[in-house]
Amino acid sequence: MRISGLYRSTLLRYFVASLLALLLDVAVLSLSLRLLHMSLTWAATAGFVAGAVVAYILSIRWVFSERALANTPWAEFLGFVGIGVVGLGVTQFVLWLGTAGLGIMPELVKLAAAAASFLFNYLARRSLLFIARSCIARGEDLV
């Protein structure tokens, strides 16, 4: 695949957007803990929300060209965040399975969990939120 083809890949752009969102998430978490002296729960929530907003904005502006819910941006955003929360559940399940079920070192399991969550989020968002209405109307394969 050429570099220009790679740049056009929604999967690669989604990865970059997710990475930027994660960096902001961690930065907001750290600043909230260290400078604002928030509790871990509130700091983590603030980081998650900041990261979700950035991921959403990048997704609608740069990553995906089609939007099934473009006329209802609040519903689209809530769906985007909802999928992210389910992705967090995927992460927690993989962490539990790998550590408690299989006895694997948590740091190694976290890498697998991050990959599983990333893939779930990408496929779910692409299939449910960022697909042409014409594809939905025709019942085309969403994945």
Side-chain angles (χ1 to χ4, degrees):
M1 179 182 283
R2 291 184 166 164
I3 291 179
S4 64
L6 205 59
Y7 176 77
R8 285 191 299 264
S9 164
T10 58
L11 183 60
L12 178 64
R13 288 192 310 246
Y14 185 79
F15 177 77
V16 171
S18 296
L19 188 60
L20 291 172
L22 176 63
L23 291 172
L24 180 63
D25 182 338
V26 172
V28 169
L29 169 80
S30 183
L31 289 171
S32 297
L33 286 172
R34 313 257 179 250
L35 296 178
L36 302 176
H37 307 289
M38 291 177 145
S39 70
L40 180 58
T41 301
W42 285 109
T45 301
F48 178 82
V49 169
V53 168
V54 165
Y56 175 71
I57 290 170
L58 289 173
S59 290
I60 65 172
R61 302 268 187 220
W62 182 57
V63 177
F64 300 104
S65 59
E66 302 288 344
R67 296 170 60 194
L69 301 174
N71 294 334
T72 54
W74 280 106
E76 182 181 61
F77 179 71
L78 290 176
F80 189 91
V81 171
I83 290 168
V85 169
V86 174
L88 182 60
V90 169
T91 296
Q92 293 298 324
F93 175 73
V94 172
L95 281 169
W96 170 81
L97 181 65
T99 56
L102 301 173
I104 301 171
M105 192 167 76
E107 291 80 2
L108 293 176
V109 178
K110 176 61 178 170
L111 295 174
S117 176
F118 170 81
L119 189 58
F120 169 81
N121 286 343
Y122 172 76
L123 291 174
R125 286 171 175 161
R126 191 182 109 205
S127 298
L128 300 173
L129 301 175
F130 301 110
I131 187 164
R133 289 175 187 246
S134 59
C135 293
I136 295 170
R138 289 190 306 266
E140 291 181 13
D141 184 18
L142 300 179
V143 179

